Amino acid sequence: MTSRIIASLNRQEKALALLAMLQREEFTHLRVLDPTKVAGLEFSIHELLRQIAVERTELRAIYATIVPAAKRLSEVIHTFSEDQRQRAQALYEGIDRREQACSRQAELNFKMALGFYDQSRSCVEFIQKQLVPTRNVYTAAGRYARATAEPTLVSGRM
Amino acid sequence: MPGISSVLNIAQSGLRASQLAIEVTGNNIANVDTEGYSRQVLLLEEAMSINYSPGQLGTGVLATQVVRLFDKFIELQYLDKSSTASSYEAAYGALQSVEALFNESNTSGVSSALSQFLSDLQELTLSPQDSAVRQVIVDDAENLLSMIGQMDADLASIQSQMEDYISQDVDRINDLAQEIADLNAQINQNTVEGSNNPNALYDLRDVKIRELASIVDIQYIDNGYGDITLMTKAGHTIVDGTSTFKFTFEQGKTTQQLTQSSTFDGQAYYDGNDEYEYTLQVVDAGSVTSGAGAATFRVSLDGGKTWLKDDNGDDILYSARPEDGKVQIGELEVWFGSSSNPDDPPADGNLSAGDSFTLVPKKAIYWYKAAGTAINVTPQTYANGTENTSRITGGSLEGYCTVRDVNVSAYRDRLAAFTESLVWEVNSIHSQGAGLSAFSYAMGSYAVADADTALGSRSSGLVFGDRLSSGVSSMYFYDAATGKLASAASFGFIDFDPVASGAQPFDPSVHSLNDVVDAINNTFGTFCTAQVINGALSVTADTGYTFAFGEDSTGLYAALGINTFFTGSTPTDAAVNTVVANDTNFLNAGHVNGAGELNTGDNTTALSLAGLSTKKVTISTFAGGDTSQTLSGYYNSLVGLVGVDTQNAEYNYLYQSALADELASRQDSVSAVSLDEEMSNLIRFQQSYQAAAKLISTADEMFQTILGMKS
């Protein structure tokens, strides 16, 4: 059972290493504005996250076979031998470090994507602003169309 | 009147239009790789029509003007982003060099030298009388200080390099401003609205504006007819039509802002240099004097946003002194003098509350108004990390200034604070210890500016004056021949008031160096003579005696540089005390014990010194605030800070340049030349030309037919 836990932790650490790599690659594609490659990578990242989630669910099930109420490594590690404990602890710390690195990289990727979004939105808003007439204009029906919605005391035809 | 000849005219206008369109297309193709070239198109209009039966007949085509395709809105956004990206690019480039200095993965550096020194002190606890161990400590301490000094010199060199870059950038701004103004004039001359567009000049001007935006943040105002106004974001005009404004990079100027009722007639002066700008603001009105009644002022290093605080969180108040009572503030010595001569007192030294002075003890960027008034536009970062928006806030200039004034300045401040703490912590322990030999003569290494000024005063000029506290300091005098205590009265605390009963303690806010000399002479005058030499304390044992130092709860010995391991206090001047370096017997591993004896096997002081590896010390800097860490921990956090700053600069550079690149590619989608499009245009215009030519030959055939009718 212990070796299965260590194997699972090992897989998780490797998966997070791969996740970090994919995120860095995504950042590179974001920088050069390659949405096709970003979308492709996003699918891979989501699939990887799904696999990590499944791995963790299974790991909890293993913990529960050792100590029924256990949900974390710290609750079962006392049953490990000294060597296994050190190995599991090292893997656990490695997973934690990689998780934090992935989280930081995800934040950077998000910030970059949001930057592009804001920039594009400001361009669209500018164009929309240009399309709205700033003075009163005739419509196709021949009537004044109210271009601006400023409050006025008197309106309509005298 | 329509006829065959009008067919010829129509055909001719078509031929001409097609030929011009092919020329414009050809020019586009030829400039496909030209930097800054914007695609041009020929605008065609239908020529006038003639009223006739069966109705209006056209008279051909008019080629009206050649225009360039350029999106001004995107360009403005691009200039904005480009300025920000250039700022981070400049900072990132410089910080990479700084990071390389702190990288010890391949070389030995300050961190490993510090570890070695602390480890040597540990070794001393095991062999307190081993001369080899003592020599190793001296050598490794010298190595550590040499590493610190080299690190500081390298950082200073990077700052100096930044100044070179800033100077080049400022020159380039002035050149570009002139070139853009000249182009404005040419564009004005060559523009005929609706028919003649100097497209090449527009392109050239846009290239120069892009270069300008990479140096400084700009606002772009189009006044029409080719006239543009370029200003910094803060509103400092760079180019206004054909006029230019000058930027300079020169030694900072001292400015004063007096309150309306103030009668002060003088100026604030300083010695030294620093990357911060010092704002002095008078809090309590008074005069400029060395005595009582002096005006007091507070000091800000970020333009008046925050004020220097003491340990209680209150504003530190400094007294307004003339030249002979200079006040030490940060890296500067500050005083007030007359407007024309710093050595003379002010013509009217009455300062009013609210009077303020700005000292710029570094080279700064100035913008000259038309009236010739210089305005300081050097980028400035407040203590909370925000920018002063009334200064330059973008472009490589901001990047270089930030590296010089914020990043590297903070690293040097921290390195200086680390060195000062290292020297103080070692000295304050070492100065209370004893070596293998007793002194017959001891000379202090830290001098005061005025031997009558209280040592704790900011005017005393004593480097460690602010670290002194009230308490007692003890000395021991021995018979030189026997090594035994000279008499029952030859040891004890230095008495600062022989009239009062018991040994009166030292008070740094009251006692001057002369008082210390008097106290030593009054207490131990039988055995030694104390005097002030060049502002430092000198103690000479009388014939037949030697002496040693004992417990000192005031820090007096360490502050005066008596019986210390180090001299100096900065990365530049810190060194191993020559007394210890020349004779390692004066390296204090032991102490004077309760019986007044010096024991060779004693390791009491060595244990305290070795304890520095785990002792948390309080280190303060303006940028970093107060921290309580071990010396090693503090240095490692400095290395970490450099890494974080470099990473941030790298990410911001990548982020901003990606956004700028996206805008550039948007602009390219409008104005860049597409060879595919130009080739299809070429074929289209060629066909038009051929069709127009065919029209001419058709008209010719019609003429021939008519002429043929004669026969």
Side-chain angles (χ1 to χ4, degrees), chain B residues 645-658:
Chain B
D645 283 352
T646 311
Q647 268 185 1
N648 282 344
E650 181 188 16
Y651 177 72
N652 284 321
Y653 161 57
L654 292 176
Y655 174 72
Q656 298 292 347
S657 63

Side-chain angles (χ1 to χ4, degrees), chain B residues 288-520:
Chain B
V288 174
T289 171
S290 297
T296 59
F297 61 89
R298 55 181 182 169
V299 177
S300 168
L301 300 184
D302 62 352
K305 290 279 173 188
T306 56
W307 301 93
L308 295 182
K309 307 275 186 201
D310 60 19
D311 293 341
N312 300 323
D314 300 323
D315 289 348
I316 300 176
L317 295 182
Y318 301 87
S319 299
R321 304 289 189 200
E323 199 270 341
D324 58 0
K326 293 172 183 175
V327 184
Q328 183 74 37
I329 309 171
E331 302 294 311
L332 305 185
E333 285 183 315
V334 176
W335 74 96
F336 293 86
S338 83
S339 303
S340 54
N341 188 352
D343 296 341
D344 291 343
D348 181 338
N350 291 312
L351 287 157
S352 300
D355 288 353
S356 71
F357 301 83
T358 306
L359 316 178
V360 185
K362 61 179 176 181
K363 284 186 88 176
I365 304 169
Y366 285 93
W367 172 75
Y368 278 83
K369 278 208 279 194
T373 316
I375 308 278
N376 185 0
V377 293
T378 318
Q380 187 179 36
T381 305
Y382 296 133
N384 64 2
T386 56
E387 289 175 322
N388 181 348
T389 51
S390 65
R391 306 278 184 91
I392 289 171
T393 54
S396 52
L397 263 186
E398 193 210 16
Y400 294 137
C401 286
T402 303
V403 169
R404 182 191 69 158
D405 298 344
V406 180
N407 298 119
V408 177
S409 166
Y411 308 151
R412 289 189 72 194
D413 274 358
R414 284 169 199 244
L415 193 63
F418 164 76
T419 311
E420 193 181 300
S421 287
L422 172 72
V423 168
W424 175 257
E425 293 298 332
V426 170
N427 281 353
S428 58
I429 296 170
H430 190 272
S431 62
Q432 300 180 65
L436 301 175
S437 306
F439 290 97
S440 55
Y441 173 73
M443 178 73 203
S445 58
Y446 300 110
V448 296
D450 179 4
D452 285 322
T453 305
L455 290 172
S457 158
R458 292 194 169 85
S459 296
S460 72
L462 192 63
V463 177
F464 290 110
D466 59 335
R467 301 211 186 212
L468 287 168
S469 55
S470 295
V472 290
S473 318
S474 57
M475 291 182 80
Y476 295 84
F477 289 86
Y478 303 99
D479 185 313
T482 63
K484 305 281 185 194
L485 279 173
S487 75
S490 72
F491 68 96
F493 299 124
I494 301 170
D495 187 358
F496 280 80
D497 185 357
V499 179
S501 61
Q504 297 304 307
F506 166 76
D507 182 349
S509 64
V510 174
H511 296 123
S512 65
L513 184 57
N514 277 337
D515 292 334
V516 173
V517 165
D518 291 345
I520 294 174

Side-chain angles (χ1 to χ4, degrees), chain B residues 216-219 230-238 247 367 377 390-393:
Chain B
V216 67
D217 53 305
I218 57 171
Q219 286 186 69
L230 296 174
M231 298 187 287
T232 64
K233 282 276 165 60
H236 305 105
T237 313
I238 304 168
F247 286 78
W367 172 75
V377 293
S390 65
R391 306 278 184 91
I392 289 171
T393 54

Side-chain angles (χ1 to χ4, degrees), chain B residues 16-249:
Chain B
R16 183 176 143 70
S18 302
Q19 183 198 327
L20 287 171
I22 287 169
E23 277 183 35
V24 171
T25 306
N27 192 46
N28 284 343
I29 293 169
N31 284 293
V32 65
D33 292 324
T34 307
E35 180 73 30
Y37 178 80
S38 301
R39 186 159 62 96
Q40 296 177 2
V41 291
L42 179 70
L43 295 189
L44 299 175
E45 278 180 24
E46 187 185 350
M48 62 172 287
S49 299
I50 295 170
N51 289 331
Y52 194 65
S53 177
Q56 282 203 336
L57 290 176
T59 57
V61 65
L62 283 178
T64 51
Q65 56 180 325
V66 180
V67 295
R68 64 180 194 142
L69 298 176
F70 189 78
D71 192 322
K72 201 174 279 180
F73 168 69
I74 288 180
E75 187 68 7
L76 291 181
Q77 278 196 319
Y78 171 79
L79 294 177
D80 196 27
K81 278 282 174 290
S82 160
S83 287
T84 316
S86 294
S87 171
Y88 284 115
E89 184 181 12
Y92 175 49
L95 287 175
Q96 275 181 305
S97 310
V98 178
E99 198 181 30
L101 289 179
F102 283 89
N103 184 0
E104 293 187 20
S105 58
N106 298 321
T107 54
S108 57
V110 173
S111 186
S112 58
L114 177 65
S115 300
Q116 187 58 51
F117 175 62
L118 294 172
S119 149
D120 292 346
L121 293 175
Q122 195 69 46
E123 186 65 27
L124 183 68
T125 63
L126 304 174
S127 316
Q129 52 189 338
D130 188 328
S131 64
V133 171
R134 287 164 174 266
Q135 190 58 51
V136 167
I137 289 176
V138 169
D139 292 346
D140 286 343
E142 282 172 346
N143 182 43
L144 169 62
L145 295 180
S146 156
M147 293 270 184
I148 292 172
Q150 188 57 47
M151 171 74 78
D152 186 61
D154 288 341
L155 289 172
S157 152
I158 286 173
Q159 284 181 310
S160 164
Q161 195 182 33
M162 292 302 106
E163 294 201 335
D164 289 345
Y165 290 160
I166 293 167
S167 180
Q168 285 169 16
D169 272 357
V170 168
D171 289 347
R172 190 68 191 128
I173 289 178
N174 292 330
D175 290 348
L176 283 169
Q178 191 55 55
E179 287 165 17
I180 291 168
D182 291 347
L183 283 168
N184 277 343
Q186 289 181 50
I187 288 169
N188 260 329
Q189 287 165 6
N190 291 292
T191 302
V192 179
E193 204 69 20
S195 62
N196 194 42
N197 300 306
N199 294 318
L201 294 175
Y202 281 131
D203 283 346
L204 191 55
R205 190 175 68 181
D206 284 320
V207 167
K208 292 193 185 300
I209 291 173
R210 279 193 174 198
E211 189 183 346
L212 189 64
S214 72
I215 299 174
V216 67
D217 53 305
I218 57 171
Q219 286 186 69
Y220 184 118
I221 300 168
D222 197 337
N223 306 314
Y225 293 97
D227 266 357
I228 54 164
T229 302
L230 296 174
M231 298 187 287
T232 64
K233 282 276 165 60
H236 305 105
T237 313
I238 304 168
V239 178
D240 184 12
T242 53
S243 309
T244 60
F245 289 75
K246 194 178 157 201
F247 286 78
T248 60
F249 183 52

Side-chain angles (χ1 to χ4, degrees), chain A residues 8-75:
Chain A
S8 173
L9 291 174
N10 204 13
R11 281 196 295 278
Q12 282 186 45
E13 199 202 15
K14 298 278 186 294
L16 286 167
L18 177 62
L19 180 63
M21 212 165 74
L22 290 175
Q23 284 178 323
R24 282 197 296 273
E25 195 178 335
E26 186 182 40
F27 182 74
T28 310
H29 293 316
L30 274 170
R31 272 184 59 211
V32 293
L33 283 171
D34 196 338
T36 320
K37 286 186 178 163
V38 170
L41 272 171
E42 271 297 314
F43 282 119
S44 304
I45 288 172
H46 285 182
E47 175 56 24
L48 187 58
L49 285 172
R50 192 190 63 75
Q51 287 180 20
I52 294 171
V54 168
E55 189 72 47
R56 289 192 171 173
T57 312
E58 287 173 357
L59 189 60
R60 281 198 175 185
I62 301 172
Y63 289 159
T65 59
I66 301 172
V67 178
K71 288 182 176 173
R72 296 173 182 281
L73 180 66
S74 58
E75 293 165 66

Side-chain angles (χ1 to χ4, degrees), chain B residues 536-556:
Chain B
L537 174 67
S538 153
V539 182
T540 310
D542 290 348
T543 309
Y545 299 110
T546 59
F547 61 91
F549 298 90
E551 183 194 342
D552 174 19
S553 60
T554 65
L556 189 63

